[in-house]
Short mmCIF file of all heavy atoms in Angstrom, two decimals:
data_model
loop_
_atom_site.label_atom_id
_atom_site.label_comp_id
_atom_site.label_asym_id
_atom_site.label_seq_id
_atom_site.Cartn_x
_atom_site.Cartn_y
_atom_site.Cartn_z
N LEU A 20 155.39 75.13 132.19
CA LEU A 20 155.84 76.51 132.33
C LEU A 20 157.21 76.66 131.71
O LEU A 20 158.05 75.77 131.83
CB LEU A 20 155.93 76.91 133.80
CG LEU A 20 154.62 77.20 134.56
CD1 LEU A 20 154.92 77.38 136.04
CD2 LEU A 20 153.94 78.42 134.00
N ARG A 21 157.43 77.80 131.05
CA ARG A 21 158.74 78.11 130.51
C ARG A 21 158.90 79.61 130.42
O ARG A 21 157.94 80.32 130.09
CB ARG A 21 158.94 77.49 129.12
CG ARG A 21 160.36 77.58 128.59
CD ARG A 21 160.47 76.89 127.23
NE ARG A 21 159.82 77.65 126.19
CZ ARG A 21 160.41 78.65 125.53
NH1 ARG A 21 161.66 78.98 125.80
NH2 ARG A 21 159.77 79.30 124.58
N ALA A 22 160.09 80.11 130.74
CA ALA A 22 160.38 81.53 130.64
C ALA A 22 161.41 81.76 129.54
O ALA A 22 162.37 81.00 129.42
CB ALA A 22 160.92 82.07 131.96
N ALA A 23 161.20 82.79 128.73
CA ALA A 23 162.15 83.11 127.67
C ALA A 23 162.11 84.62 127.41
O ALA A 23 161.03 85.18 127.25
CB ALA A 23 161.82 82.34 126.39
N PRO A 24 163.26 85.30 127.40
CA PRO A 24 164.58 84.72 127.68
C PRO A 24 164.78 84.45 129.16
O PRO A 24 164.16 85.09 129.99
CB PRO A 24 165.54 85.83 127.20
CG PRO A 24 164.76 87.09 127.37
CD PRO A 24 163.33 86.74 127.05
N ASN A 25 165.61 83.51 129.46
CA ASN A 25 165.90 83.15 130.84
C ASN A 25 167.31 82.55 130.89
O ASN A 25 167.52 81.46 130.40
CB ASN A 25 164.88 82.14 131.35
CG ASN A 25 165.01 81.88 132.84
OD1 ASN A 25 165.64 82.66 133.54
ND2 ASN A 25 164.43 80.78 133.29
N PRO A 26 168.31 83.27 131.41
CA PRO A 26 168.21 84.52 132.15
C PRO A 26 167.84 85.70 131.27
O PRO A 26 167.98 85.65 130.06
CB PRO A 26 169.61 84.68 132.74
CG PRO A 26 170.50 83.96 131.80
CD PRO A 26 169.70 82.77 131.31
N SER A 27 167.38 86.77 131.91
CA SER A 27 166.98 87.96 131.17
C SER A 27 167.65 89.18 131.79
O SER A 27 168.23 89.12 132.87
CB SER A 27 165.46 88.13 131.21
OG SER A 27 165.05 88.65 132.45
N PHE A 28 167.53 90.29 131.08
CA PHE A 28 168.05 91.56 131.59
C PHE A 28 166.93 92.36 132.26
O PHE A 28 167.12 93.50 132.63
CB PHE A 28 168.64 92.38 130.45
CG PHE A 28 169.69 91.64 129.68
CD1 PHE A 28 169.48 91.27 128.37
CD2 PHE A 28 170.87 91.27 130.29
CE1 PHE A 28 170.43 90.57 127.67
CE2 PHE A 28 171.83 90.57 129.58
CZ PHE A 28 171.61 90.22 128.28
N GLY A 29 165.78 91.80 132.41
CA GLY A 29 164.65 92.50 133.01
C GLY A 29 163.37 91.83 132.61
O GLY A 29 162.81 91.02 133.35
N ALA A 30 162.88 92.14 131.39
CA ALA A 30 161.61 91.57 130.95
C ALA A 30 161.80 90.13 130.47
O ALA A 30 162.79 89.80 129.83
CB ALA A 30 161.01 92.42 129.83
N THR A 31 160.82 89.31 130.77
CA THR A 31 160.82 87.93 130.28
C THR A 31 159.37 87.51 130.07
O THR A 31 158.47 87.99 130.74
CB THR A 31 161.53 86.99 131.25
OG1 THR A 31 161.67 85.69 130.65
CG2 THR A 31 160.78 86.83 132.55
N ARG A 32 159.16 86.64 129.10
CA ARG A 32 157.81 86.15 128.84
C ARG A 32 157.66 84.76 129.45
O ARG A 32 158.47 83.87 129.20
CB ARG A 32 157.53 86.10 127.33
CG ARG A 32 156.09 85.70 126.99
CD ARG A 32 155.83 85.74 125.49
NE ARG A 32 155.79 87.10 124.98
CZ ARG A 32 154.71 87.86 124.97
NH1 ARG A 32 153.56 87.39 125.45
NH2 ARG A 32 154.76 89.08 124.46
N ILE A 33 156.61 84.60 130.26
CA ILE A 33 156.31 83.32 130.89
C ILE A 33 155.28 82.60 130.04
O ILE A 33 154.15 83.08 129.88
CB ILE A 33 155.77 83.50 132.33
CG1 ILE A 33 156.60 84.51 133.12
CG2 ILE A 33 155.72 82.15 133.04
CD1 ILE A 33 158.04 84.12 133.31
N HIS A 34 155.67 81.49 129.46
CA HIS A 34 154.77 80.68 128.65
C HIS A 34 154.18 79.58 129.53
O HIS A 34 154.89 78.96 130.33
CB HIS A 34 155.52 80.03 127.49
CG HIS A 34 156.17 81.02 126.58
ND1 HIS A 34 155.52 81.59 125.51
CD2 HIS A 34 157.42 81.53 126.58
CE1 HIS A 34 156.34 82.41 124.88
NE2 HIS A 34 157.50 82.41 125.51
N PHE A 35 152.89 79.35 129.39
CA PHE A 35 152.25 78.33 130.21
C PHE A 35 151.29 77.52 129.38
O PHE A 35 150.71 77.98 128.41
CB PHE A 35 151.52 78.96 131.41
CG PHE A 35 150.54 80.03 131.04
CD1 PHE A 35 149.22 79.72 130.71
CD2 PHE A 35 150.94 81.36 131.01
CE1 PHE A 35 148.33 80.70 130.36
CE2 PHE A 35 150.03 82.36 130.66
CZ PHE A 35 148.73 82.04 130.33
N GLY A 36 151.12 76.26 129.79
CA GLY A 36 150.14 75.39 129.18
C GLY A 36 149.39 74.68 130.29
O GLY A 36 149.98 74.27 131.29
N SER A 37 148.10 74.57 130.19
CA SER A 37 147.30 73.93 131.22
C SER A 37 146.15 73.19 130.55
O SER A 37 145.54 73.72 129.63
CB SER A 37 146.76 74.96 132.22
OG SER A 37 145.81 74.37 133.08
N ILE A 38 145.80 72.03 131.08
CA ILE A 38 144.66 71.31 130.51
C ILE A 38 143.36 71.71 131.19
O ILE A 38 142.29 71.32 130.75
CB ILE A 38 144.86 69.78 130.64
CG1 ILE A 38 144.90 69.37 132.10
CG2 ILE A 38 146.09 69.33 129.90
CD1 ILE A 38 144.77 67.88 132.31
N ALA A 39 143.46 72.51 132.28
CA ALA A 39 142.26 72.86 133.04
C ALA A 39 141.79 74.26 132.68
O ALA A 39 142.58 75.17 132.47
CB ALA A 39 142.54 72.78 134.54
N GLU A 40 140.46 74.43 132.64
CA GLU A 40 139.88 75.75 132.42
C GLU A 40 139.56 76.39 133.76
O GLU A 40 139.34 75.71 134.75
CB GLU A 40 138.62 75.64 131.56
CG GLU A 40 138.89 75.10 130.16
CD GLU A 40 137.64 75.14 129.30
OE1 GLU A 40 136.62 75.65 129.78
OE2 GLU A 40 137.71 74.65 128.16
N GLY A 41 139.51 77.73 133.77
CA GLY A 41 139.14 78.43 135.00
C GLY A 41 140.05 79.61 135.26
O GLY A 41 140.95 79.90 134.48
N PRO A 42 139.81 80.33 136.38
CA PRO A 42 140.63 81.49 136.71
C PRO A 42 142.09 81.09 136.88
O PRO A 42 142.41 80.01 137.35
CB PRO A 42 140.03 81.97 138.04
CG PRO A 42 138.66 81.38 138.09
CD PRO A 42 138.76 80.07 137.37
N ALA A 43 142.99 82.00 136.51
CA ALA A 43 144.42 81.72 136.63
C ALA A 43 145.15 83.01 137.00
O ALA A 43 144.79 84.09 136.55
CB ALA A 43 144.98 81.17 135.33
N THR A 44 146.17 82.87 137.83
CA THR A 44 147.02 84.00 138.19
C THR A 44 148.48 83.56 138.08
O THR A 44 148.82 82.40 138.32
CB THR A 44 146.77 84.49 139.62
OG1 THR A 44 146.98 83.41 140.54
CG2 THR A 44 145.36 85.05 139.78
N LEU A 45 149.32 84.51 137.71
CA LEU A 45 150.75 84.27 137.63
C LEU A 45 151.41 85.21 138.64
O LEU A 45 151.31 86.43 138.51
CB LEU A 45 151.28 84.55 136.22
CG LEU A 45 152.76 84.26 135.99
CD1 LEU A 45 153.03 82.76 136.04
CD2 LEU A 45 153.22 84.81 134.64
N GLU A 46 152.07 84.63 139.63
CA GLU A 46 152.66 85.42 140.71
C GLU A 46 154.18 85.31 140.65
O GLU A 46 154.72 84.22 140.45
CB GLU A 46 152.16 84.93 142.06
CG GLU A 46 152.59 85.82 143.22
CD GLU A 46 151.98 85.35 144.54
OE1 GLU A 46 151.47 84.21 144.60
OE2 GLU A 46 152.03 86.12 145.52
#
């Protein structure tokens, strides 16, 4: 997981990588 920009002024993009397939949620 990585967030950019971080810190941010509001919006930030969360980048994720996973080796597993299936449903996913970001909370």
